[in-house]
């Protein structure tokens, strides 16, 4: 029996990852509400960055007092909500 193929996370070059990092850092410093598109997640993650943990490589997103830890390498896109 063949194993089910799990789609692999798309690879991005250093420039793209650096740009993502810059966007996250700016949003963190400005305490902006952002929307993250995360690879493999059904819905986007909306909120403010509470913490950027370089040790675990996770971005801690806070919305309504709830913190969700998003792996940096799975973040595909950073957007600002249009409302």
């Amino acid at each position: 029996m063949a194993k089910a193929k799990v789609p692999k996370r798309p690879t991005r070059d250093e420039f793209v990852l650096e740009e993502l990092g810059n966007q996250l850092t700016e949003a963190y410093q400005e305490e902006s509400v952002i929307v993250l598109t995360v690879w493999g997640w059904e819905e986007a993650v909306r909120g403010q960055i509470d913490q950027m943990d370089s040790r675990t490589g996770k971005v801690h997103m806070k919305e309504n007092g709830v913190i969700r830890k998003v792996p940096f390498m799975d973040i595909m896109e950073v957007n600002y909500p249009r409302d």
Side-chain angles (χ1 to χ4, degrees), residues 23-24 26-38 41 43-52 59-70 75 77-83:
Q23 290 176 314
L24 291 168
E26 188 177 309
Y28 178 56
Q29 290 170 343
E30 294 175 1
E31 297 180 10
S32 305
V33 172
I34 56 171
V35 178
L36 299 181
T37 304
V38 185
W41 292 27
E43 55 190 65
V45 180
R46 179 189 170 118
Q48 286 178 292
I49 299 173
D50 183 63
Q51 185 185 343
M52 289 168 58
V59 177
H60 299 205
M61 292 289 289
K62 186 176 191 175
E63 184 186 26
N64 301 328
V66 177
I67 294 191
R68 294 175 76 183
K69 297 178 182 180
V70 182
I75 297 171
E77 203 174 19
V78 178
N79 288 299
Y80 289 86
R82 291 181 189 83
D83 48 44

